[in-house]
Amino acid sequence: MAAGSLFASVPRAPPVAVFQLTADFREDRDPRKVNLGVGAYRTDEGQPWVLPVVKKVEQKIANDASLNHEYLPILGLPEFRANASRIVLGDDSRAIKENRVGGVQCLGGTGGLRIGAEFLRRWYNGTNNTATPVYISSPSWENHNSVFVNAGFKDIRAYRYWDAAKRGLDLEGLLEDMESAPEFSIFVLHACAHNPTGTDPTLEQWKQIAAVMKRRFLFPFFDSAYQGFASGCLDRDAWAVRYFVSEGFELFCAQSFSKNFGLYNERVGNLSVVGKDADNVQRVLSQMEKIVRTIWSNPPSQGARIVATTLTCPQLFAEWKDNVKTMADRVLLMRSELRARLQALGTPGTWNHITEQIGMFSFTGLNPKQVEYMIKEKHIYLMASGRINMCGLTTKNLDYVASSIHEAVTKFQ
């Protein structure tokens, strides 16, 4: 055998942008530094927050002598799957009552996307049809493209979403792209708190989107990563998914409990499947079980038990909703405070989009030169796209961040 490594020809992959940004932030020794790139909730002290209800449930689980570490069913903890689907579809969901909803416990929202993508590639629009177009918003969470590419889809397309000029939704472009999409194309939709823009369609706009998708036979694949976290209301944040179900769509919805439970490293996710009838759903789940078996084989129990225990106990559920509202209200406060400071400074441009957007992230509209100035000169770390995490703002750094944005925009218009 020739000398040298068998892996000598493997190229080094570029770092994941958000994690590289955090690494750069940690190495920065400037006392003024601010991290607006982190993809997780932070308190006003800039610290991670373990939800009080989660601490309570963890202790409850630890004290339950009846629990063990045996394998779960391949599709996951039944009470977790059922209740995860229930909170996104609603207590009065007709689809649930008609027994045409199924769930798959997944490794976070990403796992839900991957299992759904694998199934669609194998069984949707023909068998092993890698040519089915998959439409992803422009811009979108960077992992969306990668998940569908790695599931084997060959035709990944962008649909218009963000209007940079008006710093809002490009509804006309979005609807035009849906009208021109081939029938049976897959559309990845953000259920609420669009990442990275923070811009969601209004209820009336969602109705327009659904009408076009129904007429054009387009498949909705929702990504719900922020239910309750966006507006503080579980029902409001699930409105789009529930409306599509009420309109008779068969659909997938990947759910993440990372943000709204603060369970980032427990990897708690669910893929809700809504079909025309119970038989269709059971056949879909039987194939998803085969897919899960070859990817992670069996899911972890701890995070799923925390969520299931919380969702099935009225007192814990009420406490959780209050915890989630605490996080959502802090984000809303930071939005209003940042906008007020930028307007008070007379920062060039309009800043109403800061409060019109929703959820953890805001698309500031800062251009690459302004972002570079913020990072290099002001030690404020944000994504190259201008996306910031509102949770990185605190009452202690708001003035500094606002004045730095003002400087950046004034210097580089």
Side-chain angles (χ1 to χ4, degrees), residues 93-401:
S93 170
R94 185 174 168 185
I96 291 177
K97 291 174 182 176
E98 293 173 350
N99 216 22
R100 53 188 182 88
V101 174
V104 180
Q105 183 184 335
C106 297
L107 301 187
T110 305
L113 289 165
R114 182 58 188 267
I115 295 300
E118 286 281 347
F119 173 86
L120 292 172
R121 193 260 300 157
R122 296 182 191 197
W123 296 107
Y124 174 73
N125 195 24
T127 304
N128 198 32
N129 190 350
T130 61
T132 301
V134 177
Y135 284 80
I136 295 170
S137 66
S138 177
S140 191
W141 181 49
E142 61 183 15
N143 230 10
H144 279 150
N145 280 64
S146 300
V147 166
F148 283 88
V149 167
N150 284 304
F153 285 98
K154 304 297 185 187
D155 189 0
I156 311 295
R157 306 182 186 185
Y159 64 87
R160 284 170 283 178
Y161 192 88
W162 173 252
D163 185 326
K166 68 178 185 181
R167 296 183 179 180
L169 180 68
D170 182 3
L171 181 66
E172 184 179 352
L174 185 158
L175 294 176
E176 285 177 0
D177 288 342
M178 287 184 167
E179 290 282 8
S180 62
E183 290 184 350
F184 305 110
S185 294
I186 299 162
F187 271 75
V188 178
L189 305 169
H190 299 230
C192 67
H194 183 273
N195 180 4
T197 70
T199 297
D200 290 347
T202 64
L203 304 191
E204 287 305 312
Q205 289 170 338
W206 272 121
K207 289 179 180 179
Q208 290 177 259
I209 292 167
V212 174
M213 292 190 71
K214 181 185 282 190
R215 179 162 43 79
R216 297 287 305 138
F217 299 102
L218 306 175
F219 184 82
F221 194 148
F222 281 96
D223 185 356
S224 178
Y226 303 97
Q227 187 182 354
F229 195 100
S231 68
C233 174
L234 290 170
D235 296 328
R236 190 178 310 153
D237 292 347
W239 189 91
V241 179
R242 295 177 188 180
Y243 179 76
F244 272 66
V245 172
S246 74
E247 287 293 293
F249 282 90
E250 293 185 287
L251 57 80
F252 289 172
C253 180
Q255 300 166 256
S256 169
F257 293 91
S258 295
K259 307 293 193 300
N260 56 15
F261 266 85
L263 294 171
Y264 300 96
N265 66 16
E266 295 288 354
R267 309 313 300 139
V268 192
N270 185 62
L271 177 62
S272 287
V273 177
V274 180
K276 288 292 184 187
D277 53 52
D279 180 62
N280 273 291
V281 171
Q282 290 307 311
R283 284 186 287 105
V284 169
L285 292 180
S286 74
Q287 292 296 336
M288 288 185 173
E289 187 174 53
K290 299 292 186 186
I291 296 169
V292 168
R293 180 65 173 151
T294 62
I295 298 181
W296 55 73
S297 183
N298 205 273
S301 67
Q302 179 70 1
R305 279 186 178 143
I306 292 170
V307 173
T309 302
T310 304
L311 298 184
T312 54
C313 172
Q315 292 78 19
L316 293 172
F317 182 62
E319 185 176 347
W320 172 61
K321 287 197 294 183
D322 185 62
N323 290 174
V324 172
K325 192 172 188 306
T326 295
M327 294 188 286
D329 286 348
R330 180 174 126 64
V331 172
L332 292 170
L333 177 63
M334 290 301 100
R335 286 187 179 279
S336 63
E337 292 292 328
L338 178 61
R339 175 182 171 178
R341 282 164 171 74
L342 291 172
Q343 291 177 330
L345 289 167
T347 308
T350 58
W351 299 98
N352 54 301
H353 61 283
I354 297 291
T355 51
E356 289 171 355
Q357 294 168 1
I358 195 168
M360 183 182 288
F361 301 113
S362 177
F363 227 40
T364 59
L366 296 178
N367 63 41
K369 282 190 176 180
Q370 293 162 349
V371 170
E372 183 181 17
Y373 177 81
M374 292 280 286
I375 295 173
K376 290 187 175 180
E377 301 299 326
K378 311 304 289 186
H379 302 270
I380 297 173
Y381 291 80
L382 65 160
M383 301 298 288
S385 62
R387 188 198 84 171
I388 64 172
N389 180 354
M390 301 306 297
C391 301
L393 295 173
T394 69
T395 51
K396 298 179 184 68
N397 66 30
L398 262 168
D399 288 331
Y400 177 64
V401 171

Side-chain angles (χ1 to χ4, degrees), residues 1-9:
M1 181 180 288
S5 172
L6 296 172
F7 307 113
S9 63

